[in-house]
Amino acid sequence: QVQLVESGGGLVQPGGSLRLSCAASGSFSSINAMGWYRQAPGKERELVATMPSGGSTNYADSVKGRFTISRDNAKNTVYLQMNSLKPEDTGVYYCNVVVITRNLFKFNNWGHGTQVTVSS
């Protein structure tokens, strides 16, 4: 089993910054991709940013230039630095981690989510 512990959400004014983190632990051989998704009220969950094990990054157009995803492989942790936040960034942010087991199976895992609210 894989446990994901998210932290860093909260209430921030427009133009402010927040940093989310997600630490993975449990029984797996290695981590493949790590990323962040979000879900606004009344909307479907959407990709925010992902980072495969090779180090490349992928961002939603709406966050390019404002958000930065990074990962610390030694700590099995992924981060999302969010700058210049806008009210439309409000939502529940979910960590996503794809692990590889010792038997070379891939499993997709989701965190419980952390609330980000951008409001004055």
Side-chain angles (χ1 to χ4, degrees):
Q1 288 189 348
V2 177
Q3 295 79 43
L4 301 179
V5 178
E6 300 157 325
S7 62
L11 172 65
V12 65
Q13 292 185 344
S17 298
L18 283 174
R19 189 191 193 209
L20 306 182
S21 64
C22 172
S25 62
S27 179
F28 52 87
S29 177
S30 63
I31 292 178
N32 192 309
M34 305 183 85
W36 293 94
Y37 292 72
R38 69 186 179 189
Q39 188 166 17
K43 295 187 177 181
E44 294 185 353
R45 191 175 299 187
E46 63 176 2
L47 179 148
V48 176
T50 60
M51 192 171 191
S53 58
S56 61
T57 56
N58 181 39
Y59 294 95
D61 288 342
S62 60
V63 307
K64 284 181 180 177
R66 299 188 297 122
F67 291 11
T68 302
I69 187 172
S70 61
R71 56 190 283 180
D72 185 333
N73 292 327
K75 296 181 179 179
N76 292 333
T77 300
V78 62
Y79 305 96
L80 185 68
Q81 178 66 43
M82 305 185 292
N83 299 328
S84 302
L85 282 160
K86 303 176 181 180
E88 51 263 44
D89 294 318
T90 294
V92 179
Y93 283 68
Y94 295 91
C95 173
N96 177 265
V97 176
V98 179
V99 302
I100 300 174
T101 68
R102 291 178 178 81
N103 294 327
L104 302 181
F105 288 110
K106 286 185 179 180
F107 286 98
N108 193 32
N109 301 274
W110 291 96
H112 293 296
T114 183
Q115 177 70 44
V116 172
T117 303
V118 184
S119 175
S120 55

